[in-house]
Amino acid sequence: MPSLDQGGPTRRVFTPRPEPPIWRTPEFLRFAAIAGLSLAAIGVVLLVSQQTALPALKDQLALKSADSNQPPLPATASLTPEEKAEREAFLSTFLEGALRDQLNGDEFQETSGYRKLLEQVAQFEPADFTARTMRELDPQVVIADPDAWRGQFVRLRGILGDIVPQKLSRPVAGRRNAWRGQILSGDGFSWATVFEMLDRPFEGQKQSDGSSVTLDDMRMRAVEVEGILYRTGRWNTVRKNDEGQTEELSFVLPWLFVRNMRLIDEGQAPTRVFLNEHPMLILGVLAFVIFGGRLLASWFARRRRAVPKPSKGPTGIRDLFERKLREKGLPPAPPPSPQS
């Protein structure tokens, strides 16, 4: 008996073409082209800003004061015995001996000398303190020979870091807290100096809109400070390395007790320092946000298209028959008789 399909044409089974991935759809490729051009334009703007704003800020910070004309301090090792004795006598009496009760390289701590130095520095008139300040502080030089700089009136320019209150064991001049922060200076802002103040920096200063200036507003601003170098202190911190392991780090930093602090230039001391120094990171974050948002939108749109919609056509032979009657203007068929 011959086969039923013998001699008949063969038909290929229809298989629907699979949908391309979201990132290969025409609409996403068009979006990627537009977004790429936009990111390139933003990158050019950031690079131009980096080439103009950041060097100007560094030049402003590196500018020495007109009255900074004193010769360099002699190295401690080069002092004669008579000069060393004279210096020790000066430090023992200057500011009521507040400079002699702690050693260089010790951790930051509150002692009687610390408390006395806080009070003595705060009692100076700002103009009088400025008149006594003749030297520019170089953190690298101070760390190399801290004894030569102890008790010196110095000036420092840099980028202001975090400022946090330090609870005092007993009030000093009616204040229950001192204020400790860091100033980044030097080439690439790679040198840190710890500073201490009895009064909160920029206390009572107002912004252009009349609101009070907060410490967060001052962070990453370019400032100039004038103070007395106390000693070098050991700064301990904990961080995670690239392998995710916790490691302890220790740095020796200059410790400066500040009387005067001012902004160098409102326009040259922006919170844009981070933007100027990390343009590629910013572009990466923008690209992640833009393309990630677009992928999510395309994914949700594809999910909505994939949900089957209820059919609006006839669902049975009776529905099809009644639709044909309606199209020809004939009355609908009578309902089926109930079965007994």
Side-chain angles (χ1 to χ4, degrees):
M1 182 176 180
S3 175
L4 294 177
D5 59 350
Q6 187 175 5
T10 59
R11 295 184 178 181
R12 299 177 59 185
V13 179
F14 173 75
T15 56
R17 179 180 298 178
E19 289 191 44
I22 294 175
W23 55 88
R24 293 182 60 185
T25 57
E27 58 270 17
F28 187 84
L29 293 177
R30 287 193 296 269
F31 167 80
I34 297 174
L37 291 175
S38 301
L39 287 173
I42 295 174
V44 171
V45 172
L46 287 174
L47 290 176
V48 171
S49 175
Q50 183 185 29
Q51 297 298 322
T52 56
L54 192 58
L57 176 59
K58 290 182 177 180
D59 292 342
Q60 187 78 5
L61 292 173
L63 187 64
K64 293 186 178 296
S65 303
D67 57 356
S68 180
N69 52 10
Q70 289 192 353
L73 285 171
T76 304
S78 65
L79 297 178
T80 64
E82 292 78 12
E83 290 172 334
K84 290 182 179 180
E86 181 181 353
R87 178 162 180 77
E88 286 297 323
F90 165 76
L91 293 176
S92 299
T93 57
F94 181 57
L95 299 178
E96 301 181 9
L99 296 165
R100 297 304 299 164
D101 73 330
Q102 295 192 34
L103 299 177
N104 289 310
D106 285 350
E107 293 186 0
F108 298 88
Q109 54 188 309
E110 179 184 343
T111 61
S112 59
Y114 165 92
R115 296 166 54 82
K116 190 177 298 182
L117 187 57
L118 269 178
E119 185 174 11
Q120 292 288 328
V121 170
Q123 288 177 354
F124 276 94
E125 290 294 330
D128 181 32
F129 201 96
T130 298
R132 295 169 180 257
T133 305
M134 298 292 180
R135 299 187 186 278
E136 303 286 341
L137 185 145
D138 185 338
Q140 187 174 4
V141 175
V142 170
I143 292 173
D145 190 3
D147 284 329
W149 288 83
R150 189 186 287 245
Q152 292 291 321
F153 288 75
V154 294
R155 181 178 290 108
L156 174 66
R157 291 178 177 85
I159 299 297
L160 194 59
D162 292 322
I163 304 175
V164 295
Q166 300 293 312
K167 182 70 174 179
L168 299 171
S169 61
R170 300 190 312 277
V172 174
R175 283 79 154 180
R176 296 183 178 275
N177 292 319
W179 298 87
R180 182 176 297 169
Q182 289 189 1
I183 295 178
L184 304 180
S185 60
D187 187 21
F189 309 114
S190 56
W191 290 95
T193 298
V194 177
F195 71 87
E196 206 93 9
M197 294 184 72
L198 186 57
D199 294 317
R200 204 205 82 166
F202 303 103
E203 182 74 32
Q205 185 167 329
K206 301 291 184 181
Q207 301 192 62
S208 58
D209 59 0
S211 60
S212 298
V213 170
T214 67
L215 293 180
D216 286 339
D217 296 330
M218 294 296 101
R219 191 174 182 275
M220 299 301 290
R221 302 293 294 272
V223 296
E224 179 184 75
V225 299
E226 295 169 344
I228 294 177
L229 198 287
Y230 186 18
R231 63 174 178 87
T232 57
R234 185 166 298 279
W235 184 281
N236 299 318
T237 186
V238 177
R239 73 171 185 182
K240 288 189 176 181
N241 56 25
D242 296 337
E243 288 75 25
Q245 300 173 340
T246 301
E247 58 181 5
E248 295 184 359
L249 300 177
S250 183
F251 304 93
V252 175
L253 307 174
W255 196 3
L256 183 66
F257 280 55
V258 169
R259 176 60 185 91
N260 299 326
M261 178 182 293
R262 68 177 183 86
L263 290 174
I264 289 180
D265 188 341
E266 189 88 17
Q268 294 286 353
T271 53
R272 301 175 318 195
V273 172
F274 180 83
L275 302 181
N276 290 327
E277 291 194 320
H278 302 87
M280 299 310 298
L281 176 61
I282 296 168
L283 286 177
V285 172
L286 286 175
F288 177 80
V289 172
I290 292 173
F291 285 95
R294 180 56 178 153
L295 279 174
L296 284 176
S298 300
W299 182 74
F300 281 116
R302 180 170 290 195
R303 285 283 303 272
R304 287 195 297 268
R305 290 197 301 267
V307 175
K309 297 181 180 180
S311 175
K312 296 182 179 179
T315 58
I317 188 64
R318 182 175 179 83
D319 293 333
L320 180 61
F321 181 67
E322 289 183 351
R323 193 181 72 174
K324 292 296 183 181
L325 291 177
R326 286 195 300 271
E327 290 176 356
K328 296 182 178 182
L330 299 176
S337 60
Q339 295 180 358
S340 55

